[in-house]
Amino acid sequence: MSNPEMFARGHPLWAEIDLAALRHNVRLLGSLARGAEVMGVVKGYAYGHGNPASAKAMLEAGATRLGVARVAEGIHLRESGITAPIHVFTEPPPEAVGTIIDLALTPSVYTLAFARVLSAAADHRVASVPIHVKLDTGMHRVGVPAEEALDAIKELRALPGLEIEGIWSHLAVADIPDHPFTRRQVDLFNELSDAIDEAGVRLRYRHIANSAATMSLPASHMDLVRCGVASYGLWPGKAFIGTADLRPVLALRARVNLTKWLSAGERLSYGLNYKLTRAGRVLTIPVGYADGYDRRLSNRGDILLGGNRYRVSGTVCMDQFMVDAGDAPVEQGAIVTLIGGDGAERITAEEIADHIDTINYEVTARIPSRVPRIYLDEAPE
């Protein structure tokens, strides 16, 4: 969607997605994990950056596989023409097994109940479905318990229509470099892998590394690394800031909806909790918590305009907030930046996350579909 088309549809807010930066980050992560394939993780609408454009850019940069959380996300990618392997990280409702097989999605398996339904559907279709068995090495979210892993593998191996292509697990504290629990998880995963191999099951893929481990723990790289947050130029944790040439992919911008001159003493927005200390120009920005711009940014977050910072003034509403711009000569339609750079100033997702006590990728993942994405540097078809 070009800017004229976007504005004609009444969109006052948009996200700019720099696909060149995305490709750069994926190539960088691939260089850190030499010998391992890169899976581009695009769940959650590519962490808010949008699909399928983000997925295609990752594949162009050398990723060989994609990762999603839900079957519906895999459907979206297949309908866009993507043919690369797509891994579904969570077991879906049993009604979705036919879709998994028909669209050649690669499911994660961690319960025998789901495996049996999948096997029956594969056997009925005379199909062979590659599966990746999720092992619980200590995070305890989903996965086959470590002490049951070998028996589960043997049972899965006996089910018709299923091919155990790989095993995987997830690291709980890899965002804290050198944490001893991460090493314990990797060691346990290797022990389970060796036991599975000794039982005669030849695994094509073993994978446990997320973005943080890809950047800091070569022993975790194995056959495949799963890179999500760092692919989008977001740091996996505060300890990683500045440790690599990651480039932010997303910028969030809007047009000033209205400007007004108010007298000293006037108060703004719901609750009237911001008071002008002198006469000044107040801007109405058509962005609110329905756009993922958190209400906790009230009187706390900044915007950029003309290379300068201005504070959110008063309560963030569902669709709008206000900014006291003092005597700055701002006109209606001026472009403001909520995430991204303007001149020498930059507002990062990390900065916003600090304001609202969360993580950077929640900031981008919460930007809803009503905010259009404009893709910069799209590769030619």
Side-chain angles (χ1 to χ4, degrees), residues 153-219:
I153 289 288
K154 291 176 180 177
E155 292 192 59
L156 292 171
R157 188 183 188 187
L159 292 175
L162 303 186
E163 173 201 350
I164 303 175
E165 183 182 56
I167 58 172
W168 70 289
S169 191
H170 195 61
L171 299 172
V173 286
D175 56 314
I176 305 173
D178 301 319
H179 197 292
F181 191 78
T182 301
R183 175 58 67 178
R184 283 166 52 190
Q185 284 192 271
V186 172
D187 289 345
L188 176 56
F189 187 76
N190 282 327
E191 291 171 13
L192 295 173
S193 175
D194 291 344
I196 291 167
D197 184 72
E198 290 171 6
V201 179
R202 300 293 176 258
L203 299 168
R204 171 65 185 86
Y205 291 102
R206 301 168 307 134
H207 49 109
I208 194 171
N210 53 13
S211 287
T214 300
M215 296 175 67
S216 65
L217 189 60

Side-chain angles (χ1 to χ4, degrees), residues 1 6 11-17 44-51 76 250-253 286-295 317-319 338-339 361-375:
M1 183 185 294
M6 180 182 69
H11 289 294
L13 165 70
W14 65 95
E16 296 173 0
I17 310 300
Y45 201 45
Y47 292 52
H49 292 69
N51 267 327
H76 185 199
L250 180 144
L252 189 64
R253 308 190 199 276
V287 181
Y289 53 80
D291 302 298
Y293 197 75
D294 199 284
R295 195 168 182 268
C317 311
M318 179 178 284
D319 310 293
L338 295 90
I339 300 175
Y361 38 113
E362 182 181 351
V363 170
T364 61
R366 289 173 61 187
I367 300 172
S369 59
R370 84 168 186 169
V371 178
R373 275 67 171 172
I374 296 177
Y375 296 99

Side-chain angles (χ1 to χ4, degrees), residues 348-364:
T348 64
E350 288 81 8
E351 176 182 330
I352 293 176
D354 285 343
H355 284 317
I356 61 175
D357 193 26
T358 188
I359 50 177
N360 50 8
Y361 38 113
E362 182 181 351
V363 170
T364 61

Side-chain angles (χ1 to χ4, degrees), residues 81-206:
I82 290 175
T83 59
I86 299 172
H87 291 245
V88 181
F89 293 149
T90 306
E91 289 184 353
E95 294 83 356
V97 295
T99 302
I100 285 174
I101 297 168
D102 293 342
L103 294 184
L105 305 178
T106 302
S108 295
V109 172
Y110 43 83
T111 67
L112 286 173
F114 174 73
R116 290 179 182 126
V117 173
L118 183 64
S119 170
D123 195 41
H124 178 73
R125 286 169 166 76
V126 195
S128 178
V129 180
I131 65 172
H132 284 227
V133 182
K134 175 70 179 293
L135 304 180
D136 181 2
T137 56
M139 186 166 167
H140 302 316
R141 184 168 58 182
V142 296
V144 179
E147 62 274 15
E148 301 173 14
L150 193 55
D151 288 340
I153 289 288
K154 291 176 180 177
E155 292 192 59
L156 292 171
R157 188 183 188 187
L159 292 175
L162 303 186
E163 173 201 350
I164 303 175
E165 183 182 56
I167 58 172
W168 70 289
S169 191
H170 195 61
L171 299 172
V173 286
D175 56 314
I176 305 173
D178 301 319
H179 197 292
F181 191 78
T182 301
R183 175 58 67 178
R184 283 166 52 190
Q185 284 192 271
V186 172
D187 289 345
L188 176 56
F189 187 76
N190 282 327
E191 291 171 13
L192 295 173
S193 175
D194 291 344
I196 291 167
D197 184 72
E198 290 171 6
V201 179
R202 300 293 176 258
L203 299 168
R204 171 65 185 86
Y205 291 102
R206 301 168 307 134

Side-chain angles (χ1 to χ4, degrees), residues 235-366:
W235 299 104
K238 290 186 177 181
F240 290 83
I241 294 175
T243 61
D245 182 26
L246 295 181
R247 300 176 185 175
V249 174
L250 180 144
L252 189 64
R253 308 190 199 276
R255 297 172 78 177
V256 173
N257 181 260
L258 182 68
T259 73
K260 63 193 82 73
W261 190 268
L262 295 179
S263 302
E266 292 295 323
R267 294 179 178 269
L268 306 180
S269 196
Y270 289 124
L272 302 176
N273 56 35
Y274 182 89
K275 180 180 178 180
L276 272 71
T277 58
R278 74 278 184 264
R281 182 171 283 103
V282 173
L283 318 178
T284 300
I285 312 299
V287 181
Y289 53 80
D291 302 298
Y293 197 75
D294 199 284
R295 195 168 182 268
R296 289 169 290 180
L297 293 166
S298 303
N299 297 311
R300 185 178 298 175
D302 288 343
I303 66 156
L304 303 180
L305 176 60
N308 298 309
R309 282 181 176 256
Y310 297 91
R311 181 61 46 88
V312 174
S313 307
T315 301
V316 173
C317 311
M318 179 178 284
D319 310 293
Q320 301 174 94
F321 64 84
M322 285 174 273
V323 170
D324 178 0
D327 58 2
V330 183
E331 297 184 358
Q332 182 177 341
I335 294 176
V336 302
T337 296
L338 295 90
I339 300 175
D342 182 352
E345 288 281 358
R346 172 171 289 276
I347 294 173
T348 64
E350 288 81 8
E351 176 182 330
I352 293 176
D354 285 343
H355 284 317
I356 61 175
D357 193 26
T358 188
I359 50 177
N360 50 8
Y361 38 113
E362 182 181 351
V363 170
T364 61
R366 289 173 61 187

